[in-house]
Structure formats: C-alpha cells, structure tokens
Amino acid sequence: MDKKNALRAGAVATGTTLMMLLMSSPAFALVRDDGDDPGSSGLSVVETLGLFVVAPIVLFAVIAGLVMVMDRSKKRA
C-alpha cells in the first residue's frame, strides 16, 4: 500500500511541476509586449546583491531581534 501512495504522490508532483513549467513558458519570451517599458539601464551587481541578498538578511535580523526583545515568556527575577 505504501508503494501505491508513493507512486501516486510522485505522479501528482511530476504532473504539477510539468504543468507549471508549461504555463510559465511565456515568461521566457524574447519579444516585447505592448506597453512594456523596461527603462534605460538595469541594476549593477552591487545593487542586485544589496536588494536580493543583504536587504532580506537585514529584515530577518530586525524581525528576529524585535521578537527576542519583546518576548514576555521569560521568568522575572
């Protein structure tokens, strides 16, 4: 019975993945759409790392710090 469930779960996961890949194929299009205005220049490497690596880490640290500071489950001395 466990093999049947594993095969069924694998088939569902594979089918879902394939459908998502097929549905996202327009995202790889090279032709510009009407109203597409990409701007004059892209982000530099430093700006990209700051936006997608440093900013989430800083945001996580701030939220974790606030949770630790405002934790009221500690015993009072």
Side-chain angles (χ1 to χ4, degrees):
M1 194 67 163
D2 291 337
K3 271 189 169 180
K4 261 187 179 177
N5 287 338
L7 284 173
R8 184 178 296 140
V12 168
T14 303
T16 303
T17 303
L18 286 174
M19 286 303 296
M20 294 298 274
L21 284 173
L22 289 173
M23 296 301 286
S24 67
S25 62
F28 300 116
L30 297 176
V31 179
R32 296 266 183 228
D33 290 334
D34 292 338
D36 192 13
D37 188 16
S40 60
S41 64
L43 296 174
S44 70
V45 174
V46 174
E47 290 171 336
T48 303
L49 289 175
L51 185 62
F52 294 108
V53 176
V54 176
I57 291 172
V58 168
L59 187 63
F60 175 79
V62 167
I63 293 172
L66 287 172
V67 168
M68 287 170 37
V69 166
M70 299 201 170
D71 182 22
R72 297 178 186 253
S73 64
K74 297 177 185 174
K75 291 182 180 178
R76 306 273 175 171

